[in-house]
Amino acid sequence: MDTKIEFLFLNEEDMIKAGVLDAGHCVDTVGEVMSLLSSGDYLMGGKEHNDHGMQLIFPKKSDIPGFPLEDSRDRRFMAMPAYLGGRFHLAGEKWYGSNGRNAKKGLPRSILMVTLNDVETGQPLAYMSANLLSAMRTGAMPGLSAVYLARKDSKVLALLGAGVVNRTSLMAIMAKMPGIEEVRIKGSSPTSKTAQELMEFAKDNYPQLKEIKICGSVEETVTGADIISEAVSVAPHKWPEIKPEWIKKGCLIISSGTVDVDYEFTKKHITKVVDNIGMYEEYINVYQEYDEAGKPVSMGVPGMAYVNMISEGAIKKEEVQHLGAIVRGVEPGRSSEDEIIMISLGGMPILDVGWGYECYKKALEKGIGTKLKLWDTPFMA
Amino acid sequence: MDTKIEFLFLNEEDMIKAGVLDAGHCVDTVGEVMSLLSSGDYLMGGKEHNDHGMQLIFPKKSDIPGFPLEDSRDRRFMAMPAYLGGRFHLAGEKWYGSNGRNAKKGLPRSILMVTLNDVETGQPLAYMSANLLSAMRTGAMPGLSAVYLARKDSKVLALLGAGVVNRTSLMAIMAKMPGIEEVRIKGSSPTSKTAQELMEFAKDNYPQLKEIKICGSVEETVTGADIISEAVSVAPHKWPEIKPEWIKKGCLIISSGTVDVDYEFTKKHITKVVDNIGMYEEYINVYQEYDEAGKPVSMGVPGMAYVNMISEGAIKKEEVQHLGAIVRGVEPGRSSEDEIIMISLGGMPILDVGWGYECYKKALEKGIGTKLKLWDTPFMA
């Protein structure tokens, strides 16, 4: 019996060679993944199969000297396991550590790795640098959302947040929406270096754009935009607010980070779409905060607000549409040119497994990466 | 700024060279880990910081052709993240896939990998084959339990289950309990190949043993034993039963797998010890089954029975001792020679991080393993 196990290690350079930055292909792939989600051909963690992942939650303080604290932005570790069916038919997980202080060291805020596993034996097939993988699959979801939910004649794209997620969102949206003429960028400040860099990136890569500008306020950024892509990571309850009067008729709001949109306005005047309602139900269990009267406060995540609206009986669960069901044609998506739609995107490990598999396949075809041997014969079997 | 990231890959052979099979050192290390657990200097997953891990739970059936099912023993994937403090001060996780059908392929039932991460930046430090790591740290816990909870004059060791866990439990107990003279082994059947192999292993490695025998029944195996180490993995509700009348006075029962011991007898006549009560409380949430009257049924895990005893008010929470507190000397452990003690061990990722770190350190010292580059400069930071 051949019991030798080898797997492929792909570092960041290998991943680039294996096509991880191909935004159009990535949008198509996450579309497939959303279809599989909608038809139930997947598993994520937990009893309900829908957990985003398992987090190491650092405390705000500790009596133990040197204990790691939640003392910088996004400080956490997260394990995100999944099985993805269809032609993918493999298991995998993303494991990452994140710390806002990394920026000072010239490092990305999160350092991510993805493992792909044979679903039958459990053996690793690939261990890959997942910073670009994760960024691209995250940006591909706004791209997919735009394809299915934005007006076809969308011209003005507003980017709230100028970090990695909105860079890859821009890549995905530009790959799929040829009518975009204007891009507006709102960074952490008008002079933000990342906002400048994102503007340069847009100029260099999308000569078809007639205007690219950095805006000083949320109002200036979103007013009149056809598509708003929000990807903001800030301290809790400090997220930006989009006021109802700034939202153009027919606008698509895509939330990948945290943002506030008036609860009552959302309830009555916005068509609600999510990637996976089960995930937001789980989020309520783990993350929802309540005011002194026991009422849920905004957590900046539209999908959590939708779950709260369902819980309080204000809307029916069926009113919240799923992107995957829209891709499959079993839910309507946009039904009028004037409709305002808001989609909440939370990030799911099935996306990492799906896009990881595409890169892995290409790496195998092209002979990219480092083959690593786990064992010739297991010491104990 | 130097933003290059490299980490160490250790395959199974490397791990052996790095000392992963050193049972005595491993018992000492898990003792340190239990102390840190007891003093709160650790984090595991979830809100309460005590989750064993996040599982992909395969369904028993599915309408989707080819969907992976819970159709063999132990079929699952599991992500187990943790932070471990003290001199370790690092994060990490174990990720594995498991499938009873692997045996037919000459592969271990589970194929496990451990990642160690810098707790500040999140970067991977090591990616290691964890089959031996996991087996050794699992067996080290019965070793540690024996050191702190067995009678010092223990002579007869009964092994229920002849798989990897009881092989490493034997290694750990033999490393620390020089008085053991007799080892009894109960495999899945009297002619079980793994039981034969375990007997040969014991003969080859422990010439001080006066008797090593394979037993045909649980009764024959455990009657008169000073230490019972149970490490059985069978179909749900098929676990072996240890009847009260077979248990010698002063006996230590160590449960690493699944076993039934009469609930009322346990309640009244057994001193109860666990590795981590919080983990069993989480287990109740995820795994507890109930009969038609709504009463919890035995899940074969003593720690879950202890939680149920606390919930029904039959015992006080303080009656359940913690191994780490006993190591630290803040809980009594054994208080008489006649006392029967039963400890429930569930497996925690802090053990993987702890023992993984010791092997990693030795690998660095000795120049063992393959250095892998993640990137020279991150593409997006």
Side-chain angles (χ1 to χ4, degrees):
Chain A
M1 250 180 316
D2 185 13
T3 56
K4 183 172 174 174
I5 290 184
E6 290 184 321
F7 63 96
L8 199 61
F9 169 62
L10 297 167
N11 67 19
E12 186 162 89
E13 207 181 324
D14 297 328
M15 290 296 284
I16 293 170
K17 288 181 196 155
V20 73
L21 296 173
D22 183 343
H25 183 191
C26 189
V27 172
D28 298 339
T29 304
V30 303
E32 281 188 76
V33 175
M34 286 300 103
S35 282
L36 290 168
L37 172 74
S38 172
S39 56
D41 198 0
Y42 76 101
L43 285 177
M44 295 194 288
K47 247 182 178 171
E48 304 300 328
H49 312 306
N50 276 319
D51 285 4
H52 170 84
M54 178 168 273
Q55 186 176 335
L56 295 184
I57 303 170
F58 292 114
K60 291 198 167 49
K61 56 183 183 174
S62 168
D63 294 335
I64 298 167
F67 201 94
L69 302 174
E70 192 200 317
D71 56 0
S72 75
R73 224 200 289 179
D74 285 325
R75 189 164 192 200
R76 64 174 173 269
F77 280 83
M78 184 86 79
M80 302 169 66
Y83 162 76
L84 182 61
R87 69 177 178 91
F88 301 96
H89 190 59
L90 78 169
E93 71 135 18
K94 183 161 75 180
W95 165 240
Y96 72 89
S98 196
N99 188 338
R101 281 193 293 270
N102 280 358
K104 276 185 275 175
K105 298 172 184 161
L107 290 174
R109 184 178 304 165
S110 306
I111 300 179
L112 311 100
M113 301 299 294
V114 160
T115 308
L116 301 179
N117 296 75
D118 186 303
V119 71
E120 181 64 22
T121 66
Q123 72 164 84
L125 301 170
Y127 185 59
M128 38 178 67
S129 174
N131 275 61
L132 299 179
L133 189 170
S134 189
M136 290 306 296
R137 69 79 158 156
T138 305
M141 288 293 286
L144 186 72
S145 304
V147 171
Y148 282 90
L149 299 173
R151 286 175 55 134
K152 297 288 167 252
D153 60 355
S154 293
K155 288 186 178 58
V156 179
L157 169 63
L159 301 175
L160 287 181
V164 168
V165 174
N166 255 346
R167 178 179 292 220
T168 55
S169 299
L170 175 68
M171 290 167 75
I173 293 168
M174 294 307 292
K176 294 293 185 182
M177 300 291 286
I180 299 291
E181 293 178 352
E182 180 181 339
V183 171
R184 303 176 190 165
I185 300 167
K186 168 83 181 64
S188 53
S189 77
T191 56
S192 140
K193 192 169 150 258
T194 52
Q196 288 289 340
E197 284 169 354
L198 185 54
M199 184 166 75
E200 294 306 320
F201 175 82
K203 277 184 186 159
D204 292 346
N205 288 278
Y206 309 108
Q208 69 268 40
L209 290 173
K210 292 180 183 156
E211 193 173 359
I212 308 170
K213 65 175 179 186
I214 291 176
C215 299
S217 69
V218 175
E219 179 175 4
E220 187 191 347
T221 317
V222 305
T223 302
D226 300 299
I227 301 173
I228 301 169
S229 174
E230 171 273 313
V232 172
S233 167
V234 287
H237 306 287
K238 301 282 183 197
W239 31 82
E241 187 185 353
I242 300 174
K243 294 210 169 146
E245 57 268 32
W246 302 338
I247 305 170
K248 187 182 171 180
K249 277 188 181 174
C251 179
L252 168 65
I253 305 170
I254 304 164
S255 172
S256 304
T258 39
V259 66
D260 265 328
V261 181
D262 183 77
Y263 190 80
E264 294 300 320
F265 182 82
T266 300
K267 206 190 277 183
K268 290 179 196 143
H269 301 295
I270 289 186
T271 300
K272 298 154 198 76
V273 185
V274 293
D275 43 5
N276 181 4
I277 195 75
M279 187 172 55
Y280 299 103
E281 290 166 350
E282 285 297 323
Y283 277 2
I284 295 287
N285 292 336
V286 183
Y287 301 108
Q288 180 66 53
E289 296 168 13
Y290 298 86
D291 67 14
E292 285 173 11
K295 237 187 110 178
V297 300
S298 168
M299 300 307 294
V301 176
M304 290 175 74
Y306 300 165
V307 173
N308 288 329
M309 288 171 196
I310 296 167
S311 299
E312 65 166 90
I315 63 168
K316 292 200 187 100
K317 192 164 179 179
E318 305 80 66
E319 284 178 53
V320 179
Q321 297 188 44
H322 286 79
L323 183 57
I326 295 164
V327 171
R328 287 170 71 215
V330 299
E331 283 180 358
R334 177 171 291 279
S335 56
S336 88
E337 295 295 280
D338 280 356
E339 187 177 11
I340 297 168
I341 300 180
M342 179 158 67
I343 180 165
S344 195
L345 300 173
M348 289 178 284
I350 47 174
L351 298 166
D352 299 302
V353 172
W355 187 229
Y357 177 71
E358 290 300 287
C359 299
Y360 168 60
K361 241 182 21 173
K362 197 153 183 183
L364 284 183
E365 278 165 29
K366 290 191 163 187
I368 297 163
T370 306
K371 212 182 259 187
L372 296 174
K373 186 178 73 179
L374 194 60
W375 56 54
D376 283 310
T377 307
F379 188 82
M380 294 187 197
Chain B
M1 250 180 313
D2 185 12
T3 57
K4 183 172 173 175
I5 289 184
E6 288 184 323
F7 63 96
L8 199 60
F9 169 62
L10 297 168
N11 67 20
E12 187 162 85
E13 207 181 324
D14 297 328
M15 291 296 284
I16 293 171
K17 287 182 197 153
V20 72
L21 296 174
D22 184 342
H25 182 192
C26 189
V27 172
D28 297 339
T29 305
V30 302
E32 282 190 75
V33 175
M34 285 300 101
S35 282
L36 290 167
L37 172 75
S38 172
S39 57
D41 198 359
Y42 76 101
L43 284 177
M44 295 194 287
K47 248 181 177 173
E48 303 300 328
H49 311 307
N50 275 319
D51 285 4
H52 169 85
M54 178 168 274
Q55 184 175 338
L56 295 184
I57 302 170
F58 292 114
K60 290 199 171 43
K61 54 184 184 173
S62 168
D63 294 335
I64 298 167
F67 200 93
L69 301 175
E70 192 201 318
D71 55 1
S72 75
R73 227 200 287 179
D74 286 326
R75 191 165 191 197
R76 63 175 173 268
F77 280 83
M78 185 85 81
M80 301 169 66
Y83 162 76
L84 182 63
R87 70 178 176 90
F88 301 95
H89 190 58
L90 79 169
E93 72 136 16
K94 183 162 74 180
W95 165 239
Y96 72 89
S98 196
N99 188 339
R101 280 193 293 271
N102 280 0
K104 277 185 276 177
K105 297 172 186 161
L107 291 173
R109 186 179 302 166
S110 306
I111 299 179
L112 312 99
M113 301 298 296
V114 159
T115 308
L116 299 178
N117 297 74
D118 186 301
V119 71
E120 181 65 22
T121 66
Q123 73 163 85
L125 301 170
Y127 184 58
M128 38 178 71
S129 174
N131 274 61
L132 299 180
L133 189 169
S134 188
M136 291 306 296
R137 68 80 158 154
T138 304
M141 289 292 285
L144 187 72
S145 304
V147 171
Y148 282 90
L149 299 172
R151 286 174 56 132
K152 296 289 167 250
D153 60 355
S154 293
K155 288 185 179 59
V156 179
L157 169 62
L159 303 174
L160 286 180
V164 167
V165 174
N166 255 346
R167 176 178 295 221
T168 55
S169 299
L170 175 68
M171 291 167 74
I173 293 169
M174 293 308 292
K176 293 292 183 183
M177 300 292 285
I180 299 290
E181 295 178 352
E182 180 183 340
V183 170
R184 302 177 191 166
I185 300 167
K186 168 82 181 69
S188 53
S189 77
T191 55
S192 140
K193 191 168 150 261
T194 51
Q196 287 289 341
E197 285 168 355
L198 185 53
M199 184 167 74
E200 294 306 319
F201 175 82
K203 279 184 187 162
D204 293 347
N205 287 278
Y206 309 109
Q208 70 269 39
L209 290 174
K210 292 182 183 154
E211 192 174 358
I212 308 170
K213 65 175 179 186
I214 292 177
C215 299
S217 69
V218 175
E219 179 176 2
E220 186 191 347
T221 317
V222 304
T223 303
D226 299 299
I227 301 173
I228 301 169
S229 174
E230 171 276 313
V232 172
S233 166
V234 287
H237 307 287
K238 302 282 183 196
W239 33 81
E241 187 184 353
I242 300 174
K243 294 207 170 146
E245 59 267 32
W246 303 336
I247 306 171
K248 188 181 172 182
K249 276 188 181 175
C251 179
L252 168 65
I253 305 170
I254 304 164
S255 172
S256 303
T258 40
V259 67
D260 265 327
V261 181
D262 184 74
Y263 189 81
E264 292 302 319
F265 182 82
T266 300
K267 206 190 277 183
K268 290 178 199 145
H269 303 294
I270 290 185
T271 300
K272 298 155 198 74
V273 184
V274 293
D275 42 5
N276 180 3
I277 195 73
M279 188 173 54
Y280 300 102
E281 290 167 349
E282 286 297 323
Y283 276 3
I284 296 286
N285 292 335
V286 183
Y287 301 108
Q288 181 64 55
E289 296 168 15
Y290 298 86
D291 66 15
E292 285 173 10
K295 239 188 109 178
V297 298
S298 167
M299 301 307 292
V301 176
M304 290 174 74
Y306 300 164
V307 173
N308 288 328
M309 289 171 195
I310 297 166
S311 299
E312 64 168 270
I315 62 169
K316 291 200 188 102
K317 192 164 179 178
E318 305 79 68
E319 287 178 52
V320 179
Q321 297 187 45
H322 285 80
L323 183 57
I326 296 164
V327 171
R328 289 170 68 215
V330 299
E331 284 178 356
R334 176 173 293 278
S335 55
S336 89
E337 294 296 279
D338 280 354
E339 188 177 12
I340 297 168
I341 300 180
M342 179 159 66
I343 179 163
S344 196
L345 300 173
M348 289 178 285
I350 47 175
L351 298 167
D352 299 303
V353 172
W355 187 228
Y357 176 71
E358 290 300 286
C359 298
Y360 168 62
K361 242 183 19 175
K362 195 153 187 187
L364 284 183
E365 278 165 31
K366 292 192 162 186
I368 295 163
T370 306
K371 213 181 255 185
L372 296 174
K373 186 177 76 177
L374 195 61
W375 57 54
D376 284 309
T377 308
F379 188 82
M380 295 186 197

